[in-house]
Amino acid sequence: MHDIKAIRDNPEAFDRAWESKGLSSQTSAILVLDARLRAAQTALQDAQSRRNDASKLIGQAKARKDEAEAQRLMAEVEALKGDIAAQTEIERDTAEALREILAALPNIPAADVPFGEDEHGNVEQRRWGDPAGVPAARLNAPKDHVDLGGGLGGMDFEAAARMSGARFVVLKGQIARLERALGQFMLDVQTGEHGYTEVSPPLLVNDAAAYGTDKLPKFADDLFQTTDGRWLIPTAEVSLTSMVMGQIVGAEELPMRLTALTPSFRSEAGASGRDTRGMIRQHQFYKVELVSITAPDQSEAEHQRMVDCAEAVLRKLELPFRTMLLCTGDMGFGARKTYDLEVWLPSQNTYREISSCSNCGDFQARRMDARFKRAGEKGTQYVHTLNGSGLAVGRTLVAVLENYQDEKGRIAVPAALQPYMGGATHIGGEA
């Protein structure tokens, strides 16, 4: 949600920002509604004040036995009731219209976000690891994760399709254990080394939580809804960030760093025909989510820290990756600045997204009314919220399978995961 006063004070800046995200000018309609709302509020306050004054004068007129004046004042009060009802309706309808248009508009990009229309405008920040150094690089034609998982008897898309439809998978045996190992390893890194607090949150949330984290109303079609009106979380960001919904926290509690390993559920309504093979884009997948709640002056440093925490997992797994700063046209709806981590996939001979770390500023906090208070100060401020993947477990499983394959179809277990795999050094045959 946006600060209407900020739009009122500098509409040109907001129009330029929205235009950089491919939208036409928006502020004219907003300012018309804002003026109408303020006029209705002023008229309502005036009518209520006049009614209160007239009501007091009725008693005074009756006390001095001036019945004619009392009747005139009573008629005025009755007429004012109609005015108050009419202005109340105008205020309610205008406020709702203004709220709807503001809720549908994306966040404003930070000043240092590069301009661009799509992913081609993203700017590489750094690379780590050498794709030529992974085991799969020694193969002429590395297999993709679907063939590798099927060959090891640990990945069954047909069984999943029979029970659930497309974009699901059944994992079995050592592949299932490898997925579990990855999730536990990621949690241990983020809690034990980076100071995040582990949370086991609800997987079902209400409208307020989904709205506050900018998933509603714009992305309703991308979510799964239950018969009682709740929503399956598309990411634990929704649950973790909503822990401060409607709250005022002390400044001494910030930054608040939270993490969770949960299933995520996405309908992929806008992804028809994209990544239909394998585990890259599924309706259900595990993810370790990172969320930070900060004061405004902490959020940029916290954003860089979060990216470092996500990168650390890839470095420990010795998976080549690159870090990209997203341009204005490729950022998500609620983000003011986003870094994507892209891992190397040998079968595709390219880097693919495995984590997205975003600073949302006060955009979500305004929607969910999340504030903080500094000791000794009377007022409150909106917190800043940040979220990122640390990492997407399914895509990390894909990356491990493909990068660590050998000519026999075996998978070498990364050294960091071996303690979670009962000491096994390979999946599929003897080491």
Side-chain angles (χ1 to χ4, degrees), residues 152 174-175 178 401 409-413 421 424-429:
L152 293 166
Q174 287 293 81
I175 302 296
L178 182 59
L401 293 176
R410 300 182 310 170
I411 309 298
V413 178
M421 294 290 292
T425 59
H426 286 73
I427 295 174

Side-chain angles (χ1 to χ4, degrees), residues 218-416:
K218 183 176 177 61
F219 300 106
D221 289 343
D222 293 324
L223 306 178
F224 288 109
Q225 189 173 26
T226 63
T227 54
D228 67 356
R230 282 177 283 204
W231 304 88
L232 287 167
I233 59 169
T235 162
E237 169 207 342
V238 176
S239 303
L240 296 178
T241 309
S242 295
M243 289 175 64
V244 294
M245 180 172 62
Q247 303 300 300
I248 299 174
V249 300
E252 68 279 2
E253 300 177 62
L254 306 177
M256 190 181 298
R257 299 179 178 125
L258 309 170
T259 187
L261 168 63
T262 68
S264 298
F265 305 92
R266 299 183 185 179
S267 72
E268 298 290 355
S272 178
R274 296 176 60 194
D275 296 313
T276 56
R277 177 176 169 83
M279 292 182 61
I280 295 296
R281 194 177 297 276
Q282 296 207 299
H283 292 310
Q284 174 188 316
F285 57 94
Y286 283 96
K287 184 153 70 80
V288 171
E289 186 71 7
L290 306 176
V291 161
S292 292
I293 312 296
T294 77
D297 59 357
Q298 300 170 330
S299 68
E300 177 58 27
E302 185 68 16
H303 194 196
Q304 299 300 323
R305 184 186 190 276
M306 179 179 285
V307 174
D308 291 342
C309 291
E311 289 180 346
V313 175
L314 291 170
R315 291 194 295 269
K316 288 175 180 293
L317 294 174
E318 300 181 71
L319 293 169
F321 68 92
R322 66 180 184 179
T323 302
M324 307 292 290
L325 174 60
L326 299 197
C327 69
T328 54
D330 199 33
M331 284 200 307
F333 180 81
R336 68 188 304 267
K337 186 176 182 180
T338 297
Y339 291 97
D340 272 6
L341 308 187
E342 298 178 349
V343 70
W344 179 255
L345 292 188
S347 70
Q348 299 184 21
N349 195 39
T350 192
Y351 292 94
R352 294 297 304 269
E353 179 198 338
I354 197 168
S355 172
S356 190
C357 297
S358 297
N359 185 348
C360 297
D362 63 3
F363 185 77
Q364 293 179 328
R366 288 180 179 277
R367 296 169 76 100
M368 64 173 60
D369 193 24
R371 302 168 182 259
F372 76 101
K373 188 177 187 300
R374 299 185 191 276
E377 295 185 4
K378 291 183 178 180
T380 61
Q381 293 177 258
Y382 288 107
V383 298
H384 279 197
T385 63
L386 303 93
N387 63 81
S389 303
L391 306 160
V393 177
R395 292 193 179 191
T396 310
L397 175 66
V398 168
V400 169
L401 293 176
E402 293 200 6
N403 282 280
Y404 281 90
Q405 64 180 294
D406 64 18
E407 67 279 356
K408 297 179 182 179
R410 300 182 310 170
I411 309 298
V413 178

Side-chain angles (χ1 to χ4, degrees), residues 45-273:
Q45 291 168 359
D46 288 347
Q48 290 171 331
S49 178
R50 285 159 48 205
R51 179 197 61 187
N52 294 339
D53 290 344
S55 296
K56 292 177 183 177
L57 292 174
I58 290 172
Q60 296 175 15
K62 286 184 176 291
R64 62 176 185 268
K65 301 187 184 307
D66 188 345
E67 191 60 32
E69 178 64 7
Q71 290 297 322
R72 186 190 70 77
L73 290 168
M74 290 170 66
E76 182 179 349
V77 167
E78 193 63 28
L80 285 169
K81 286 181 181 179
D83 290 345
I84 290 170
Q87 293 301 328
T88 298
E89 183 176 357
I90 293 172
E91 179 192 38
R92 183 186 64 246
D93 292 347
T94 306
E96 179 60 23
L98 182 59
R99 177 178 175 274
E100 286 182 2
I101 191 171
L102 290 175
L105 289 168
N107 203 350
I108 299 301
D112 58 346
V113 171
F115 174 80
E117 296 182 358
D118 52 31
E119 67 272 13
H120 300 294
N122 298 340
V123 179
E124 183 174 323
Q125 304 295 292
R126 55 189 168 272
R127 294 190 182 199
W128 187 94
D130 182 4
V134 300
R138 295 191 288 270
L139 307 178
N140 290 327
K143 296 179 180 178
D144 71 5
H145 66 283
V146 177
D147 291 336
L148 288 166
L152 293 166
M155 198 175 286
D156 193 336
F157 291 95
E158 292 182 1
R162 289 195 298 272
M163 68 180 81
S164 302
R167 297 188 189 270
F168 290 93
V169 65
V170 172
L171 301 182
K172 300 180 290 184
Q174 287 293 81
I175 302 296
R177 183 170 184 175
L178 182 59
E179 181 191 49
R180 174 163 54 94
L182 282 165
Q184 297 306 313
F185 165 70
M186 292 174 188
L187 269 185
D188 287 349
V189 169
Q190 303 303 351
T191 58
E193 299 183 23
H194 299 150
Y196 285 85
T197 298
E198 183 176 353
V199 178
S200 179
L203 304 182
L204 291 169
V205 297
N206 58 23
D207 285 354
Y211 176 84
T213 50
D214 62 69
K215 305 303 177 280
L216 291 180
K218 183 176 177 61
F219 300 106
D221 289 343
D222 293 324
L223 306 178
F224 288 109
Q225 189 173 26
T226 63
T227 54
D228 67 356
R230 282 177 283 204
W231 304 88
L232 287 167
I233 59 169
T235 162
E237 169 207 342
V238 176
S239 303
L240 296 178
T241 309
S242 295
M243 289 175 64
V244 294
M245 180 172 62
Q247 303 300 300
I248 299 174
V249 300
E252 68 279 2
E253 300 177 62
L254 306 177
M256 190 181 298
R257 299 179 178 125
L258 309 170
T259 187
L261 168 63
T262 68
S264 298
F265 305 92
R266 299 183 185 179
S267 72
E268 298 290 355
S272 178

